[in-house]
Amino acid sequence: MAASTFRFLPHVPRKSGFQEGVCKKLCFVVRVGFGQSCRCQIFQKADTVGVKVMSHARNVAMCLGVWLLSCGTTWGAQRIEAWSYYPVPPFQTEDVSNAGLTADLVVYLNKALSGKYDVNLVMLPKARLNKMLERGDKAFVAFTPSVVFDGPNGGSYLWTAPLFEDRQELVSRAKQPFEFNGPASLFGVRFGALLGHIYPMLAKEMESGVIHADRTTSEASLIAMLMAGHVDVITIPNSAVRYYMSTNTAFRQGFWISRQHLGEYTRHLMFQRGMEKERDDFDQIIRKMNVDPAWIGTLKKYGLEPASRKTR
């Protein structure tokens, strides 16, 4: 299985360079980065010094080790980046290692497409991700909601079949439960929402100012604001609610989920323009994942279920 790679941008571009090892005729092993593949070239240099046989053997082993570490198991595979702007559960559950559902998805895809693609996870702020998409950088965005970028049936980006269904929940304190009955029920209510996110059901009222949202950058901050009584109700995805419900007793007992939500959507891989072949290759895998016990088990860890047949 191709190893997954996790990093945060900005990063220093990979440099070409020599990884040297001495063998019987003093080989220099050069690791050269050519974007989508790792190519190794071997140059020989006349042996002008006496080297013992055991030293030769040791250095040949070192030479091979460096070469294997440089090229790994992705020889011949096309490198492709998986972008994510979700540093929140269930997509990211651990900051340092980036562990979470998105990392698990990358591992699954690397196994399913081993030898063909080498998928690498890159965490990005949403504003930077948008700029990179606009300038045409080649990659796919993991778990993209169907309500953004004009959705799977419009716009210029390329979408796979859905990975799972989601919706936008309204969460309040259990001691002061809030029930949503349309936009008017939020008039005069202290409402918490995520910065930069759009909520189609409330768009008109929020634009006119009759619904005011206190914005913050993370779901954890929204939950803290709600617990502290700074807002009366917040909106977060059902995928986050289900994760917290399955892992956090205080959340399960202390919060109320409105019976009516702000709208449903599905989550997909969204590819850059011009990546039809890559999208089609990944789409073939996505369409089989939802009946794969391994992927179903992965989703279950986070309290989630695969997309139903009606949305595939």
Side-chain angles (χ1 to χ4, degrees):
M1 180 179 70
S4 57
T5 303
F6 307 112
R7 59 186 173 84
F8 279 87
L9 290 185
H11 67 281
V12 178
R14 187 170 39 170
K15 296 180 179 179
S16 299
F18 287 100
Q19 296 169 318
E20 301 180 8
V22 181
C23 52
K24 192 167 184 179
K25 283 201 173 183
L26 195 60
C27 294
F28 289 94
V29 176
V30 185
R31 182 185 178 208
V32 187
F34 285 100
Q36 293 180 344
S37 64
C38 176
R39 303 175 185 175
C40 290
Q41 301 173 336
I42 299 179
F43 298 90
Q44 292 189 331
K45 183 177 179 181
D47 189 356
T48 59
V49 295
V51 184
K52 293 181 180 180
V53 173
M54 290 303 294
S55 177
H56 288 171
R58 181 176 64 252
N59 286 309
V60 167
M62 289 173 61
C63 173
L64 289 172
V66 169
W67 183 82
L68 288 170
L69 285 172
S70 297
C71 296
T73 58
T74 62
W75 180 263
Q78 178 180 335
R79 182 183 176 88
I80 187 168
E81 290 186 343
W83 295 345
S84 174
Y85 60 95
Y86 293 118
V88 293
F91 306 105
Q92 185 190 66
T93 57
E94 210 284 318
D95 293 342
V96 176
S97 67
N98 292 343
L101 181 58
T102 309
D104 288 347
L105 172 66
V106 168
V107 170
Y108 183 98
L109 292 173
N110 271 325
K111 184 176 181 180
L113 294 161
S114 178
K116 193 168 186 178
Y117 292 97
D118 174 24
V119 184
N120 295 262
L121 175 59
V122 181
M123 301 298 298
L124 290 165
K126 190 170 187 292
R128 184 164 187 190
L129 181 144
N130 288 342
K131 289 181 180 178
M132 292 169 73
L133 283 173
E134 289 171 5
R135 74 185 184 203
D137 290 10
K138 302 298 185 184
F140 69 82
V141 184
F143 297 114
T144 311
S146 57
V147 292
V148 300
F149 300 111
D150 295 321
N153 300 317
S156 55
Y157 297 111
L158 309 171
W159 300 68
T160 65
L163 288 155
F164 66 88
E165 294 142 3
D166 213 337
R167 62 176 181 259
Q168 206 63 31
E169 303 285 14
L170 287 154
V171 183
S172 56
R173 292 180 294 278
K175 292 181 178 179
Q176 295 175 294
F178 170 84
E179 281 294 340
F180 180 70
N181 295 304
S185 61
L186 282 169
F187 292 0
V189 174
R190 295 178 302 169
F191 175 50
L194 285 175
L195 189 67
H197 285 237
I198 298 171
Y199 307 101
M201 189 178 291
L202 307 177
K204 182 180 177 181
E205 289 77 11
M206 293 182 76
E207 186 177 350
S208 66
V210 293
I211 294 178
H212 171 74
D214 291 315
R215 301 272 190 170
T216 188
T217 57
S218 72
E219 290 162 6
S221 296
L222 281 178
I223 293 170
M225 288 167 61
L226 182 61
M227 291 176 67
H230 297 316
V231 292
D232 301 315
V233 59
I234 61 174
T235 180
I236 59 177
N238 175 262
S239 52
V241 169
R242 294 178 74 161
Y243 174 79
Y244 289 127
M245 285 286 193
S246 65
T247 60
N248 192 303
T249 302
F251 187 95
R252 190 164 55 247
Q253 296 177 349
F255 294 102
W256 176 266
I257 314 300
S258 173
R259 295 181 183 88
Q260 186 177 342
H261 50 76
L262 288 181
E264 296 178 324
Y265 48 90
T266 47
R267 291 190 181 269
H268 307 246
L269 304 187
M270 187 189 79
F271 284 76
Q272 179 62 273
R273 295 176 287 267
M275 298 182 71
E276 285 83 0
K277 182 182 183 303
E278 292 86 350
R279 188 278 308 273
D280 292 347
D281 289 342
F282 279 75
D283 190 55
Q284 289 181 19
I285 302 300
I286 300 300
R287 291 181 181 277
K288 298 174 184 177
M289 286 172 66
N290 291 318
V291 294
D292 182 353
W295 178 244
I296 293 171
T298 296
L299 289 177
K300 191 174 181 180
K301 285 196 310 181
Y302 302 98
L304 303 173
E305 298 172 353
S308 61
R309 288 187 177 276
K310 67 180 181 179
T311 62
R312 292 181 209 167

